[in-house]
Amino acid sequence: TAASSRKLLQRLTQVEAFERYLHQTYPGQKRFSLEGTDVLVPMLDEIIHGAVESGTHEVLIGMAHRGRLNVLAHVLEKPYSAILSEFAHQKHEEGVPLTDTFGFGYTGDVKYHLGAEHLLGESASVDLKVILAPNPSHLEFVNPVIEGMTRASQEIRNAPGVPEQDADEAVPVLIHGDAAFPGEGIVAETLNLWRLRGYWVGGTIHIIVNNQLGFTTDPKDSRSTQFASDLAKGFEIPIIYVNADDPDAALTAVRLAYAYREECHKDILIDLVGYRRWGHNEGDEPAFTQPQMYETIRTHPTVRQLYAQKLEREGVIKPGEADAMLKDAMAVMEQAKRE
């Protein structure tokens, strides 16, 4: 609908404004930007919406550092001001506590490793807790942690006299890197658990945030398969390939994934194919190792811009309305910096 399209554009605007503001305000500071796969945040929104509709009580998310700050801000609703204060006090060794809602307080770790919990709604009609587990590295090693947390959640909630495990009480979501998915053995080891009686969690929704580049390595030099997601074929896991520049297709993919998990209680994987706008971190110069790719990326419009152009052509928004949305979102970031 026009209303849902406008809402999606607003979300993409928040995602882009967050990254853009950090990039211009704290140049060179590491944040492992989500830019190029911005649609991940609306996809997580959709999973949470599905969980609310189906009466699920917990969504547990495991991810590495790519895009984590954006997910913390927009999915876990960590205040912008808290994130900006961590950038302003980059040297947390001085004793500035990092705001981890697990109660760890001063963790001695970096801000893009932190986790958070968020209780959605806090009302009788909505009782959903969203958990992003801390991941102090390395990359995919959080996978079995999330599966264990999910299994515990599915069992703890049961009252006497009901079955031992209710798979619909908690949904695990694992967000992978395209090089790490086939490259780290822990991924295959965790996938091997999915049908085992002692480890079964009723299906995991996997999303590969595929920027087509592992650190500075092209796919042809980093894996022996055509697709980053091919490992999942060995476990008979369905794979949905989707273009990260097509938000409507991405949301369709994640709705299908959630429905499959809910109906079949099996793992399913979305290979979200996008790109990485900056280097491995924001202190790197990626054009040294991938000059042709980054010449293309440099002139490529963002997903927000592409979607805004589409909605403008369809008459859903007026000319200039998308720019006004972005200006307002940047103003919110600037206000948070003053707080």
Side-chain angles (χ1 to χ4, degrees):
T1 65
S4 61
S5 295
R6 185 184 293 273
K7 183 179 178 182
L8 177 53
L9 177 60
Q10 184 67 53
R11 195 55 153 170
L12 291 171
T13 302
Q14 291 174 331
V15 171
E16 181 177 318
F18 177 83
E19 299 288 5
R20 187 185 291 197
Y21 186 84
L22 293 179
H23 195 72
Q24 68 186 33
T25 308
Y26 305 105
Q29 284 202 29
K30 294 179 183 179
R31 70 180 192 279
F32 295 95
S33 156
L34 187 60
E35 290 161 284
T37 47
D38 311 45
V39 76
L40 175 68
V41 169
M43 291 171 75
L44 292 175
D45 290 339
E46 199 64 31
I47 290 173
I48 291 166
H49 175 74
V52 170
E53 289 289 304
S54 59
T56 297
H57 288 101
E58 285 191 359
V59 173
L60 299 102
I61 304 171
M63 68 185 299
H65 39 266
R66 174 75 52 203
R68 175 176 283 257
L69 294 180
N70 216 309
V71 170
L72 280 169
H74 296 121
V75 180
L76 282 296
E77 297 190 14
K78 181 172 180 176
Y80 288 154
S81 56
I83 295 173
L84 292 171
S85 70
E86 292 166 3
F87 273 93
H89 301 91
Q90 179 74 8
K91 295 181 179 179
H92 55 267
E93 297 87 356
E94 296 173 358
V96 177
L98 296 178
T99 49
D100 191 313
T101 59
F102 279 85
F104 297 149
Y106 172 54
T107 66
D109 211 336
V110 290
K111 54 188 172 290
Y112 41 80
H113 287 172
L114 298 181
E117 292 183 352
H118 174 57
L119 186 61
L120 192 69
E122 299 187 50
S123 68
S125 60
V126 177
D127 177 22
L128 177 70
K129 180 184 285 186
V130 183
I131 296 173
L132 176 64
N135 185 7
S137 277
H138 185 274
L139 299 179
E140 303 286 338
F141 268 70
V142 76
N143 292 4
V145 177
I146 288 293
E147 304 295 3
M149 291 171 68
T150 303
R151 177 65 182 244
S153 178
Q154 291 171 349
E155 292 183 350
I156 286 171
R157 292 182 180 277
N158 290 317
V162 298
E164 178 182 323
Q165 181 186 7
D166 184 349
D168 293 325
E169 287 288 342
V171 175
V173 180
L174 288 177
I175 301 169
H176 307 275
D178 56 294
F181 189 80
E184 293 202 5
I186 193 70
V187 178
E189 292 173 45
T190 306
L191 291 177
N192 188 57
L193 301 175
W194 86 264
R195 295 178 74 171
L196 302 185
R197 182 176 53 188
Y199 301 90
W200 182 79
V201 293
T204 300
I205 298 173
H206 302 267
I207 302 173
I208 296 178
V209 178
N210 189 343
N211 54 41
Q212 307 184 66
L213 190 62
F215 192 13
T216 59
T217 308
D218 293 326
K220 67 179 184 295
D221 295 319
S222 64
R223 64 172 184 261
S224 300
T225 58
Q226 183 173 2
F227 298 106
S229 51
D230 281 345
L231 171 68
K233 294 177 180 178
F235 298 92
E236 300 179 345
I237 295 171
I239 303 167
I240 305 169
Y241 302 92
V242 67
N243 185 346
D245 272 351
D246 188 342
D248 290 327
L251 294 195
T252 300
V254 83
R255 289 186 194 115
L256 178 60
Y258 193 91
Y260 178 86
R261 192 268 178 192
E262 189 173 34
E263 178 68 24
C264 302
H265 289 117
K266 295 180 178 180
D267 283 33
I268 187 165
L269 186 150
I270 298 171
D271 194 342
L272 178 67
V273 184
Y275 59 95
R276 187 185 70 195
R277 185 158 292 277
W278 309 110
H280 173 67
N281 65 62
E282 287 68 33
D284 295 332
E285 175 45 74
F288 287 150
T289 49
Q290 275 79 26
Q292 290 181 323
M293 173 185 273
Y294 275 89
E295 179 60 28
T296 300
I297 290 172
R298 188 179 63 82
T299 58
H300 186 70
T302 67
V303 63
R304 179 197 65 83
Q305 291 171 318
L306 291 171
Y307 197 59
Q309 290 166 8
K310 175 178 180 287
L311 296 188
E312 200 171 302
R313 286 194 303 271
E314 294 172 354
V316 175
I317 62 172
K318 299 174 183 177
E321 193 172 345
D323 292 337
M325 280 187 186
L326 181 61
K327 185 178 178 180
D328 290 344
M330 294 290 280
V332 170
M333 294 294 302
E334 183 61 35
Q335 178 60 37
K337 185 172 182 286
R338 298 194 192 103
E339 294 175 359

